[in-house]
Amino acid sequence: MYNFTFHRPTTVRQAAGLLARNPEAKLLAGGHSLIPVMKQRLAQPSALIDLSLVEGLTGVEQKGRSIVIGAMTRHADAAISPVLQQALPGLAAVPAAVGDPQVRNRGTIGGSVANNDPNADYPAAVLGLGATIITNKRRIAADDFFTGMFSTALEDGEIIVKISFPIAKKAAYEKFKHPASGFALVGVFVSKRGADIRVAVTGAGSNGVFRVKSFEEALKKRFAAKSLEGMTIPATGMNSDIHASAEYRAHLVGVLARRALAKATA
Amino acid sequence: MSATGIGAAVRRKEDFRFVTGSGQYTDDVVRPGETRAVFVRSPHAHAKIKSIDVGAARKMPGVVDVLTGAQLATDKIGNLICGWMIHSKDGSPMKMAPHPALAAAKVNCVGDAVAVVIAETYEQGRDAAEKVKVDYDVLTAVVDPAKAQAPGAPQIHADIANNTIYQWHLGDAKATAAAFAAAAHVTKLDIVNNRLVPNAMEPRAALAEYDVGTDNLTLWNTSQNPHVARLVIAAFVGMAPEHKLRVIAPDVGGGFGSKIFIYPEEVVCLWAARKVRRPVKWTCDRSEAFLTDCHGRDHVTHAELALDAQGKILALRAKTIANLGAYMSTFSSSVPTYLYATLLSGQYDIPSIYCEVDAVYTNTAPVDAYRGAGRPEATFVVERLVEVAARQMKIEPADLRKRNFIKTFPHQTPVIMAYDAGDYHASLKKALEIADVKGFAKRKRDAVRHGKLRGLGFSTYIEACGIAPSQAVGSLGAGVGLWESAEVRVNPTGSVEVLTGCHAHGQGHETTFAQLVSERLGIPFENISIVHGDTDKVQFGMGTYGSRSAAVGMSAIVKALDKVEAKAKKVAAHLLEAAEGDIEFKDGKFTVAGTDKQAAWGDVALNAYIAHKFTGQELEPGLKETSFYDPTNFTFPAGCHICEVEVDIDTGKTDIVNWTAVDDFGTIINPMIVEGQVHGGIAQGIGQALLEGAVYDKSGQLVTGSMMDYTMPRAHDLPSFHVGMTETKSPSNPLGVKGCGEAGAIAAPAAVINAITDAIGTEDLAMPATANAVWSALKRATPRQAA
Ligand SMILES: Cc1cc2nc3c(=O)[nH]c(=O)nc-3n(C[C@H](O)[C@H](O)[C@H](O)COP(=O)(O)OP(=O)(O)OC[C@H]3O[C@@H](n4cnc5c(N)ncnc54)[C@H](O)[C@@H]3O)c2cc1C
């Protein structure tokens, strides 16, 4: 690890100010994505701006027909939130499926979404529910937020404050774990909220999280696993590596989508 | 049986310090003025070094020195060696390429060290290491052992044609060919035994200190055999004379073979410590470990089994290419030869066997012994062949095995080994019961109903452990003897220290060895300490690997205890004023036969030292005895493992739903520890079969260079194991023990693959059988089912 200065602001405003003054600085949330790359000397931020003392960034709340999760909410806390389990259990299953207990006790939703790891779980839920990312500057719709692997619509100096998820009547997540890392080799989130039907896939695409329009179309007739019987997606554009071929990942998208639907409609 | 004697499930003494974080590992040792070594490593798999510029690095803050391979050569530090000579078929000796601790002219694998920075702190060392400028001329690499010998393949070492280290063989080629010609059935398999990265929990480390006043060097390191390390570093590397070098292997957090070997880093730390006149410490990080620890396995084999129409095995033939990586590590040559081909008879009476092994260099990390070392590879060949033959001949796999089991002992196989004891029917029978094989057909039918394919796989394995006797291994090319030493020191107060040449790095010797002493001397377990791992304390020893510590190391303790008892009886005779021949020793008490006179162990120990009851002419004072024990044969643990799997048709994911292990380890010293060893071994075997596999890309970059890509088995990948035992005593050592450290890793891979191939109905499946691999195999076999 290279040397860096360490800041602990207590308000979002202070954090934003520090970011503005230190263009080479990085926000630090749970550190479970950032610290490993720093230890490998692949990232060299001049300063870390730790968000852990910033007020008002944690917690899960129901606001009208939405669930709002603070950016610094740890995966472990989100997973067991009674509010979430009551209103949107399909979403609670997402942080519960992340990594191992150590990772869940440190990692945060804000860090996960900002990082947009192509194998991370939360992006599937954010896109699969049509959530809104609320930053210190604006509100960004999920469909506009994820712009490719490890890349998002966040601008320099922008801080995720919270994420608002519309409560869908039916929603579920199905994950096939990467055998080594525990991330999603493929993860599929499905939801239905009125006429809004979404199927979002993480892990599989070489460009990060994406929606499967053909599945969504097929589900308009009936939101059920049967509607996707025999359906797959093309292997082009899928990731291919030593753990899974593009063909296998494409196949898993179909299998997991059907399993998620079975869960969502159970 | 006493509560702490042989056969008792005594809790491990050492665990308190391990689980409370108070162990003392090499990295925990801190010496005054200590510096840190950071290695500059090659990013290329194969390249000429055009130049190395250390100028900028030297100017970095905190840098004490920057050293290169050229200086190592100037200081006449010798190369690392492989200590087991193998001769090719044509009689020529194996071709050992020079292995300098720092490469000066050429690098042959990614991670090859080319320079070392000695700095005040680790971070300063890392910063400076980035400033070392190495100019490489990159060459084409070869990583696939099956391609290393091809004409036109990149030549790795000068004067070693076709990257071929040796072309060795064992057995009778002619008789085997004749048996194949006459066979009613021949089963053929192409097998890849996947390359594994050991991944002990504690990474390797070395700390070297030079004492200017005495000219003594001390090395603390993560070694399974500190005396062998000292011998090699003194006699071959030429670092210092043996009596001027002390090697201490303190607590070591796992080895699995990877810490047997003598590595470049410990040599460099010793050399650097003397140069900079300050202690030098190096602790490997996990990424470095993936690149530079010796890997395991990596065989490509074509194997054939010949049978008559009744399923009687007539002959076995195998041709193997073994990848030894960029350099020959310390014992690498022996693993795919005498630790492999000699086990190809399995538990079966096979009249003829012929095995050819070509060992090759590639631009990959060196490959050497890893838990099981050669025997897992042999078992995989034999047990896959037998299972597939049974399926092809439509004979129950258990039946085919029974028809061919060796039933009388001793049994001379056609591949050197003389099995001395065993009962293969007994372990199979017990395993069939525990695994409820009778109920399998129903379980299989039930599984299909929820989209799962069930399969059953057997592995009736055998291994040769407690590798010895020295004369025998010497005749096979070993550069050392494989006896073991023990010294039993009885203190005046009656407590006992046992110095052993074995080394514990997770096995629990402090407990099991103490159990033996407690049983023999009848003294409390707490009054016994086991001392190991320091060349200044233990005079010599061969260390721990190959499941040898009980069979050889404890046998040495038995012999030393015999001598202690004999001497103590003499002391007791003087104390009790009786004839020596009348003294009896039992349960910690000396009695005079036919009288009520007695002396406690402690009284006798004290009298041995105060020496008031006898003159120096009658008896030497003191109570301390030494023994060097060399067994009469290897030991042959064997058993039957049965694996039951469920394969998810949709995803290809395999779940192990049932595991039965019935092993014959001879006498059991501590059943809890044995069970733990079995569990750990099976976990590693399942890891190899389902999850693990080191992958290099074509250019020689390690793709599986971290835990994010290399899949270690975890608790949730494993079932609860049903462990059972059968027992035939080993006649080759006084305790009748056979060794249990490697059995699981040897037995498991074949059981898993036999089970999955049974489930999916095709033999076309390589390890690791990942979900993707199984799904693809299913698809190739039954295209519609997996669509
Ligand atoms: C062993 C291991 C296994 C894992 N397994 C999984 C898994 O199965 N599934 C999964 O989804 N993830 C997994 N993760 C990732 C884990 O969930 C991370 O914690 C998460 O991706 C990042 O969150 P963090 O809070 O740790 O962020 P950090 O590492 O602190 O930050 C990540 C990035 O986001 C930026 N950032 C952080 N907070 C904000 C904010 N509020 N606004 C703007 N930018 C911000 C940081 O500057 C940094 O660039 C795993 C991680 C590890 C180490």
Side-chain angles (χ1 to χ4, degrees):
Chain A
M1 208 180 274
Y2 299 102
N3 284 343
F4 54 85
T5 54
F6 189 58
H7 302 280
R8 305 195 92 182
T10 53
T11 64
V12 173
R13 233 189 140 83
Q14 279 175 8
L18 283 162
L19 261 185
R21 286 194 298 282
N22 299 281
E24 298 290 298
K26 277 265 178 204
L27 295 171
L28 176 69
H32 264 49
S33 291
L34 184 54
I35 303 286
V37 291
M38 288 174 67
K39 281 172 75 179
Q40 290 173 301
R41 299 186 157 224
L42 297 172
Q44 191 177 358
S46 61
L48 286 189
I49 300 163
D50 177 14
L51 296 178
S52 60
L53 300 185
V54 173
E55 278 167 23
L57 290 188
T58 56
V60 180
E61 282 178 317
Q62 181 163 355
K63 286 203 172 145
R65 294 300 302 149
S66 291
I67 288 287
V68 179
I69 305 183
M72 284 296 286
T73 308
R74 315 268 181 206
H75 304 325
D77 295 328
I80 57 161
S81 155
V83 178
L84 192 54
Q85 282 181 347
Q86 173 68 37
L88 198 47
L91 177 57
V94 174
V98 169
D100 48 49
Q102 289 90 329
V103 176
R104 291 195 289 276
N105 283 321
R106 292 295 306 168
T108 66
I109 185 169
S112 177
V113 172
N115 199 47
N116 193 17
D117 187 304
N119 297 291
D121 295 298
Y122 262 129
V126 170
L127 191 61
L129 281 163
T132 304
I133 291 91
I134 299 159
T135 75
N136 58 334
K137 295 186 177 158
R138 57 188 169 134
R139 302 167 63 90
I140 310 170
D143 287 309
D144 304 325
F145 185 81
F146 301 106
T147 55
M149 59 161 83
F150 296 109
S151 133
T152 66
L154 288 175
E155 287 162 6
D156 286 346
E158 200 164 8
I159 301 171
I160 299 178
V161 177
K162 53 196 169 190
I163 298 174
S164 173
F165 295 88
I167 296 172
K169 234 204 179 116
K170 291 176 177 166
Y173 183 56
E174 189 71 23
K175 172 179 184 177
F176 192 88
K177 282 196 176 217
H178 184 294
S181 74
F183 274 86
L185 191 72
V186 177
V188 180
F189 196 98
V190 299
S191 77
K192 173 174 165 57
R193 189 171 54 98
D196 192 14
I197 286 172
R198 287 173 175 256
V199 178
V201 176
T202 188
S206 53
N207 218 13
V209 63
F210 65 93
R211 287 173 67 177
V212 187
K213 297 286 177 196
S214 59
F215 285 13
E216 292 175 357
E217 276 308 312
L219 290 171
K220 277 185 183 150
K221 277 187 223 115
R222 218 181 115 220
F223 189 77
K226 261 222 150 352
S227 308
L228 300 186
E229 207 58 67
M231 285 183 80
T232 62
I233 61 168
T236 41
M238 294 298 111
N239 268 329
S240 186
D241 54 32
I242 58 163
H243 302 290
S245 65
E247 192 197 7
Y248 181 61
R249 279 190 166 91
H251 166 78
L252 281 185
V253 169
V255 172
L256 299 180
R258 284 186 286 277
R259 289 184 180 177
L261 282 159
K263 248 194 222 172
T265 56
Chain B
M1 182 175 81
S2 82
T4 59
I6 290 176
V10 184
R11 291 246 185 127
R12 304 202 331 165
K13 275 189 174 187
E14 44 274 83
D15 284 346
F16 176 78
R17 75 173 187 278
F18 293 155
V19 302
T20 57
S22 35
Q24 178 85 348
Y25 297 88
T26 296
D27 190 61
D28 296 321
V29 179
V30 178
R31 303 300 298 166
E34 174 177 299
T35 64
R36 297 293 297 243
V38 173
F39 286 86
V40 179
R41 299 187 180 279
S42 170
H44 307 295
H46 198 195
K48 283 198 183 112
I49 301 172
K50 291 206 287 195
S51 65
I52 302 180
D53 179 359
V54 300
R58 282 187 170 282
K59 294 199 195 87
M60 292 291 288
V63 171
V64 178
D65 208 342
V66 184
L67 302 169
T68 64
Q71 286 159 284
L72 193 80
T74 308
D75 287 357
K76 300 208 162 40
I77 301 299
N79 291 326
L80 295 156
I81 53 122
C82 175
W84 195 304
M85 173 52 72
I86 298 293
H87 286 90
S88 283
K89 294 171 207 172
D90 64 7
S92 62
M94 67 186 190
K95 305 203 168 52
M96 180 163 56
H99 185 193
L102 292 174
K106 191 162 171 277
V107 290
N108 296 308
C109 61
V110 170
D112 227 353
V114 296
V116 64
V117 174
I118 312 298
E120 298 291 342
T121 69
Y122 171 71
E123 294 295 340
Q124 287 174 327
R126 291 272 316 246
D127 289 345
E130 286 177 3
K131 302 285 184 213
V132 174
K133 281 231 296 279
V134 188
D135 196 2
Y136 292 102
D137 187 1
V138 179
L139 305 168
T140 313
V142 59
V143 299
D144 182 348
K147 293 185 179 145
Q149 296 172 296
Q155 179 77 18
I156 299 175
H157 296 288
D159 308 327
I160 298 180
N162 304 321
N163 300 312
T164 302
I165 299 167
Y166 52 71
Q167 296 189 291
W168 175 89
H169 68 162
L170 184 66
D172 188 335
K174 260 205 199 135
T176 307
F180 270 90
H185 182 87
V186 173
T187 291
K188 301 181 181 186
L189 280 179
D190 284 300
I191 290 170
V192 173
N193 207 288
N194 42 330
R195 176 186 271 249
L196 305 176
V197 184
N199 272 309
M201 200 182 292
E202 181 207 19
R204 287 188 295 120
L207 167 61
E209 184 170 25
Y210 178 62
D211 184 326
V212 188
T214 59
D215 193 33
N216 283 343
L217 273 167
T218 303
L219 173 70
W220 288 263
N221 76 335
T222 47
S223 176
Q224 298 179 217
N225 42 341
H227 291 86
V228 177
R230 182 173 72 154
L231 177 63
V232 170
I233 294 170
F236 294 93
V237 179
M239 183 67 61
E242 210 174 351
H243 66 292
K244 289 291 188 187
L245 176 61
R246 175 183 183 186
V247 178
I248 304 169
D251 283 333
V252 173
F256 311 108
S258 72
K259 292 171 181 167
I260 299 172
F261 324 121
I262 320 306
Y263 284 94
E265 292 84 2
E266 54 221 48
V267 169
V268 169
C269 285
L270 283 165
W271 171 59
R274 192 159 55 195
K275 270 189 119 60
V276 305
R277 302 274 154 121
R278 287 174 63 182
V280 175
K281 180 188 274 178
W282 169 76
T283 302
C284 192
D285 65 31
R286 188 61 64 184
S287 310
E288 241 178 336
F290 269 99
L291 291 176
T292 66
D293 287 359
C294 283
H295 294 177
R297 322 275 191 255
D298 209 346
H299 284 194
V300 179
T301 297
H302 177 74
E304 301 176 347
L305 193 69
L307 304 100
D308 72 12
Q310 284 70 49
K312 172 79 192 73
I313 302 172
L314 304 172
L316 183 152
R317 187 155 60 187
K319 164 97 218 241
T320 293
I321 302 172
N323 188 356
L324 297 193
Y327 304 99
M328 291 185 76
S329 170
T330 318
F331 290 111
S332 58
S333 55
S334 64
V335 177
T337 49
Y338 290 110
L339 298 183
Y340 164 67
T342 53
L343 273 307
L344 286 175
S345 197
Q347 298 185 351
Y348 313 109
D349 182 3
I350 305 182
S352 305
I353 296 176
Y354 182 61
C355 178
E356 294 174 279
V357 180
D358 285 9
V360 299
Y361 288 113
T362 60
N363 296 112
T364 61
V367 177
D368 205 326
Y370 172 62
R371 199 171 194 171
R375 290 150 291 166
E377 295 91 317
T379 299
F380 195 76
V381 168
V382 176
E383 289 305 297
R384 283 290 292 139
L385 280 173
V386 167
E387 191 93 10
V388 174
R391 287 172 193 164
Q392 290 172 344
M393 297 181 77
K394 309 227 172 331
I395 302 173
E396 278 295 313
D399 267 358
L400 184 72
R401 287 176 167 85
K402 280 187 210 159
R403 290 180 204 182
N404 289 283
F405 276 158
I406 292 162
K407 292 170 194 93
T408 53
F409 297 89
H411 173 87
Q412 177 64 53
T413 72
V415 279
I416 299 176
M417 294 298 175
Y419 300 167
D420 50 13
D423 185 345
Y424 310 138
H425 275 285
S427 45
L428 176 66
K429 183 165 177 281
K430 191 160 178 182
L432 289 170
E433 280 161 21
I434 297 177
D436 183 22
V437 170
K438 283 209 183 92
F440 174 72
K442 179 176 185 308
R443 295 196 294 277
K444 190 176 170 81
R445 284 194 303 274
D446 292 347
V448 172
R449 262 178 252 132
H450 53 270
K452 302 281 172 71
L453 300 172
R454 277 224 176 195
L456 202 62
F458 293 80
S459 179
T460 49
Y461 75 97
I462 190 160
E463 50 173 329
C465 293
I467 297 178
S470 302
Q471 208 177 35
V473 297
S475 72
L476 304 180
V480 289
L482 286 170
W483 46 265
E484 196 46 84
S485 79
E487 181 178 318
V488 175
R489 295 180 181 170
V490 181
N491 296 317
T493 55
S495 63
V496 171
E497 280 138 37
V498 177
L499 284 71
T500 168
C502 294
H503 183 280
H505 31 278
Q507 294 85 350
H509 294 172
E510 289 170 43
T511 304
T512 50
F513 289 13
Q515 285 180 252
L516 166 62
V517 178
S518 174
E519 168 103 11
R520 276 295 302 270
L521 301 183
I523 62 173
F525 184 67
E526 299 73 41
N527 293 2
I528 303 156
S529 289
I530 308 298
V531 178
H532 67 94
D534 183 343
T535 60
D536 262 13
K537 292 182 181 162
V538 178
Q539 186 251 333
F540 206 92
M542 296 311 301
T544 286
Y545 39 81
S547 307
R548 69 189 302 277
S549 298
V552 195
M554 286 181 95
S555 295
I557 299 174
V558 169
K559 295 289 176 190
L561 285 168
D562 288 346
K563 294 183 193 175
V564 163
E565 188 182 315
K567 170 98 185 264
K569 278 182 172 165
K570 288 191 173 52
V571 176
H574 286 282
L575 182 66
L576 298 170
E577 296 173 336
E580 192 190 323
D582 291 339
I583 301 292
E584 285 167 359
F585 179 59
K586 208 171 158 249
D587 298 333
K589 276 192 214 77
F590 296 85
T591 51
V592 180
T595 74
D596 60 358
K597 285 211 273 184
Q598 65 171 52
W601 167 256
D603 294 336
V604 172
L606 184 66
N607 272 281
Y609 285 91
I610 59 175
H612 293 170
K613 301 284 183 195
F614 50 88
T615 68
Q617 285 72 43
E618 288 168 320
L619 192 62
E620 279 185 30
L623 194 51
K624 184 200 87 161
E625 298 292 346
T626 299
S627 175
F628 285 69
Y629 176 73
D630 207 342
T632 56
N633 194 354
F634 294 71
T635 63
F636 298 96
C640 175
H641 286 218
I642 301 177
C643 168
E644 187 167 333
V645 298
E646 238 180 38
V647 173
D648 179 352
I649 297 171
D650 284 341
T651 64
K653 187 168 188 309
T654 299
D655 279 322
I656 296 176
V657 289
N658 240 317
W659 194 284
T660 304
V662 175
D663 300 289
D664 177 359
F665 297 135
T667 307
I668 302 290
I669 308 291
N670 182 323
M672 178 197 71
I673 287 180
V674 168
E675 199 169 322
Q677 289 285 323
V678 171
H679 286 193
I682 298 170
Q684 270 169 306
I686 290 173
Q688 165 159 32
L690 285 185
L691 306 162
E692 298 181 54
V695 178
Y696 284 91
D697 70 12
K698 280 204 184 76
S699 71
Q701 296 295 329
L702 183 62
V703 181
T704 49
S706 81
M707 296 290 184
M708 297 303 261
D709 283 305
Y710 186 89
T711 314
M712 291 295 287
R714 298 164 210 201
H716 68 235
D717 297 312
L718 307 169
S720 283
F721 306 116
H722 303 284
V723 177
M725 298 286 164
T726 57
E727 188 178 303
T728 61
K729 303 241 186 242
S730 166
S732 308
N733 61 65
L735 287 164
V737 298
K738 296 185 179 177
C740 65
E742 297 158 294
I746 291 168
V752 175
I753 299 301
N754 283 340
I756 301 175
T757 50
D758 178 44
I760 65 178
T762 166
E763 306 300 342
D764 172 24
L765 180 69
M767 297 191 286
T770 61
N772 192 164
V774 172
W775 176 76
S776 301
L778 256 177
K779 227 174 123 169
R780 286 193 298 271
T782 48
R784 244 167 310 136
Q785 194 167 27

